[in-house]
Amino acid sequence: MKALLDHARSLKRRVDFESGEYRKLAEGQSPEALFITCSDSRVIPALITGAGPGEIFELQNAGNIVPPYGQPGASGEAATIEYALEVLGVHDIIVCGHSHCGAMSAIRAGDDLSRLPGVDAWLDLARPRLAPVLEATPTGPSLSDVVQLNVVNQLAALRSYPSARQRLDEGGLRLHGWYYEVDTGQVHELDEDGLFRVHAA
């Protein structure tokens, strides 16, 4: 924690906040994309995308889950998605799953999460659409297959939001599915044929 505190305390000395770039940020934000990914500490959106301050709007939670539109109760995820679309007018939304994902691993293994009732309830949002694949074979799919299917499912959940659906119909919004390998740094992109592939830079 000391290193984190020291870094935060020295930020003003390390970064030129008097520059025009940072003064412009104080006037408002206009990020290019909403980046939805896991809250896993190894997944850092700015590291993956190379984005600087103000370039991406971020939403991170366990398992990069998008609650279906109209889910009862307040939702930070729904609020963030609505704000990104209706106020910031982002043109792209990326849902990025990752290797070694604890949330998807727990679903795949059928772990007993009774000691983590909040986690268990949260993962219930993802379980139903993963169940058919998990039950398809005796050994079940690989973790990467589960993570990638979850990305596809969350993109479908995004389409349930009226503001997203309208923007998609009008051609003003693009959805992207990514799978990030923590140990290699490779990013697999969801292609139109439903497969995740690594594309050359």
Side-chain angles (χ1 to χ4, degrees):
M1 186 63 197
K2 183 180 184 308
L4 297 176
L5 279 171
D6 289 345
H7 203 72
R9 290 168 179 166
S10 66
L11 179 63
K12 186 166 173 48
R13 291 196 309 273
R14 292 182 289 105
V15 177
D16 179 14
F17 282 98
E18 298 301 316
S19 71
E21 175 188 355
Y22 282 93
R23 289 187 178 188
K24 187 176 179 182
L25 286 175
E27 297 169 6
Q29 59 173 323
S30 54
E32 297 176 30
L34 169 60
F35 196 94
I36 302 172
T37 193
C38 190
S39 50
D40 190 299
S41 62
R42 300 165 292 183
V43 181
I44 305 168
L47 177 66
I48 297 169
T49 63
E55 292 183 349
I56 56 173
F57 200 54
E58 298 178 20
L59 170 56
Q60 293 186 254
N61 63 49
N64 43 269
I65 293 170
V66 175
Y69 180 76
Q71 192 78 14
S75 165
E77 287 74 20
T80 300
I81 291 164
E82 288 178 0
Y83 192 83
L85 290 168
E86 297 292 346
V87 178
L88 300 177
V90 298
H91 295 290
D92 294 272
I93 301 179
I94 301 147
V95 176
C96 180
H98 69 98
S99 66
H100 309 88
C101 180
M104 293 302 109
S105 179
I107 291 176
R108 177 178 180 263
D111 290 349
D112 177 6
L113 299 177
S114 55
R115 289 182 58 243
L116 303 169
V119 174
D120 195 33
W122 177 250
L123 294 183
D124 272 345
L125 294 174
R127 282 188 182 104
R129 297 195 68 186
L130 293 172
V133 174
L134 293 172
E135 298 162 2
T137 61
T139 57
S142 67
L143 179 57
S144 62
D145 287 340
V146 174
V147 172
Q148 291 173 13
L149 176 58
N150 183 58
V151 168
V152 172
N153 291 344
Q154 303 320 310
L155 290 170
L158 274 171
R159 293 185 186 96
S160 73
Y161 285 71
S163 52
R165 194 166 54 247
Q166 180 181 346
R167 297 273 302 284
L168 285 165
D169 291 343
E170 294 169 351
L173 178 66
R174 293 176 298 266
L175 301 182
H176 311 269
W178 291 3
Y179 172 72
Y180 170 64
E181 291 184 347
V182 169
D183 52 334
T184 68
Q186 284 192 318
V187 175
H188 303 244
E189 300 170 47
L190 179 62
D191 284 339
E192 291 183 3
D193 62 3
L195 299 176
F196 285 79
R197 294 186 176 89
V198 176
H199 292 273

